[in-house]
């Protein structure tokens, strides 16, 4: 059975760091492109970052230089290291595979709150 | 970056009515356009991929059309569970989402 479970969310102060993790089961993360997508309170979906099957990465302009996506094939996980966090990074963060394709699958999300 | 513009922002309709949602891309995305349904507290649900293909388990009342820059999602007869926010998404050039259309009960 396919499962994607996010963890690592929580409350962090502005300027702080947080690392989100996405644990996959039922498939191997290096066989799909894996994305982080977020939804801020009262806002729409925003794609944050993606790691492609070949290992290359892409980022939204809003997080470029602050966030880093990585993949651990041995643990079958994808992570999002978030540094220099801002209030506007407050959102539910979803981990998803193959967004936009019939093989897509999403986790239930983890909440990140950036506040003093 | 390809910008996706959805209209209208809100659609107020009654159950049984037809809903027509629009998504316009700032440049051609070929047919690499998907539609998602999103309800509070749930993960987004893929309805349509590659512009016109229904995802597994999606009822026939949902249909998608278009190519290039103009796309449409049609719900032929709204069921109570269809009231939600709908997003278009492109994967032609990087990945982006539209701003969403909220379909609300009139």
């Amino acid at each position: 059975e396919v499962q994607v479970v996010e963890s690592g969310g929580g409350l962090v102060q502005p300027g702080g760091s947080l690392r989100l993790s996405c644990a996959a089961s039922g498939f191997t993360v290096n066989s799909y492109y894996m994305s982080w997508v977020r939804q801020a309170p009262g806002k729409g979906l925003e794609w944050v970052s993606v790691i492609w099957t070949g290992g290359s990465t892409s980022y939204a302009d809003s997080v470029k230089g602050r966030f880093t996506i990585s993949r651990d094939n041995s643990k079958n996980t994808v992570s999002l290291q978030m540094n220099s966090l801002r209030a506007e990074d407050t959102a539910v963060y979803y981990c998803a595979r193959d967004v936009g394709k019939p093989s897509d699958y999403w986790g239930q999300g983890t909440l990140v709150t950036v506040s003093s | 970056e390809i910008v996706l513009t959805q209209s209208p922002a809100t659609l107020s309709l009654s159950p049984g009515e037809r809903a027509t949602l629009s998504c316009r891309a700032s440049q051609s995305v070929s047919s690499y356009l998907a539609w998602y349904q999103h309800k509070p507290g749930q993960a987004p649900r893929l309805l349509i991929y590659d512009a016109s293909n229904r995802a597994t388990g999606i009822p026939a009342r949902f249909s998608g059309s278009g190519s290039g820059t103009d796309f449409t999602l049609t719900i032929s007869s709204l069921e109570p569970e269809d009231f939600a926010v709908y997003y278009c998404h492109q994967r032609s050039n990087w990945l982006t989402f539209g701003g969403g259309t909220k379909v609300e009960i009139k």
Side-chain angles (χ1 to χ4, degrees):
Chain A
E1 181 190 0
V2 172
Q3 269 200 315
V4 168
V5 179
E6 305 95 336
S7 61
L11 175 64
V12 61
Q13 292 189 335
S17 298
L18 211 56
R19 187 177 182 87
L20 304 183
S21 185
C22 171
S25 56
F27 69 99
T28 53
V29 293
N30 59 3
S31 296
Y32 300 83
Y33 61 87
M34 299 296 296
S35 296
W36 288 95
V37 177
R38 69 185 180 185
Q39 184 179 35
K43 304 291 187 182
L45 297 176
E46 179 189 19
W47 166 74
V48 173
S49 181
V50 61
I51 183 163
W52 304 99
T53 53
S56 60
T57 59
S58 303
Y59 300 91
D61 287 344
S62 58
V63 307
K64 202 172 293 182
R66 301 187 299 122
F67 290 12
T68 302
I69 191 171
S70 60
R71 185 175 69 198
D72 186 331
N73 295 334
S74 65
K75 295 181 179 178
N76 211 32
T77 59
V78 175
S79 297
L80 186 69
Q81 177 66 42
M82 305 186 295
N83 299 330
S84 303
L85 283 161
R86 307 166 179 167
E88 55 264 35
D89 295 318
T90 294
V92 174
Y93 285 74
Y94 296 96
C95 175
R97 79 172 192 190
D98 272 9
V99 177
K101 297 177 71 174
S103 47
D104 91 325
Y105 197 89
W106 295 62
Q108 289 302 306
T110 186
L111 176 62
V112 172
T113 303
V114 183
S115 174
S116 54
Chain B
E1 176 186 326
I2 295 177
V3 176
L4 299 177
T5 302
Q6 292 187 239
S7 61
T10 304
L11 205 47
S12 298
L13 295 168
S14 301
E17 289 193 295
R18 182 184 188 89
T20 304
L21 289 66
S22 174
C23 177
R24 176 164 289 177
S26 58
Q27 64 189 77
S28 176
V29 299
S30 184
S31 293
Y32 296 117
L33 194 288
W35 289 93
Y36 280 88
Q37 178 192 69
H38 195 200
K39 296 180 179 179
Q42 297 184 16
R45 177 193 184 195
L46 179 68
L47 301 174
I48 301 289
Y49 65 93
D50 294 348
S52 61
N53 297 285
R54 269 190 304 277
T56 301
I58 301 303
R61 64 181 181 272
F62 291 93
S63 63
S65 63
S67 66
T69 61
D70 289 290
F71 300 87
T72 301
L73 173 70
T74 301
I75 310 171
S76 59
S77 179
L78 283 164
E79 296 288 337
E81 62 268 26
D82 298 338
F83 292 92
V85 181
Y86 293 82
Y87 296 93
C88 57
H89 162 80
Q90 68 82 22
R91 59 183 180 88
S92 172
N93 186 328
W94 307 124
L95 304 169
T96 52
F97 288 93
T101 291
K102 181 179 182 180
V103 178
E104 64 177 24
I105 299 176
K106 185 174 181 180

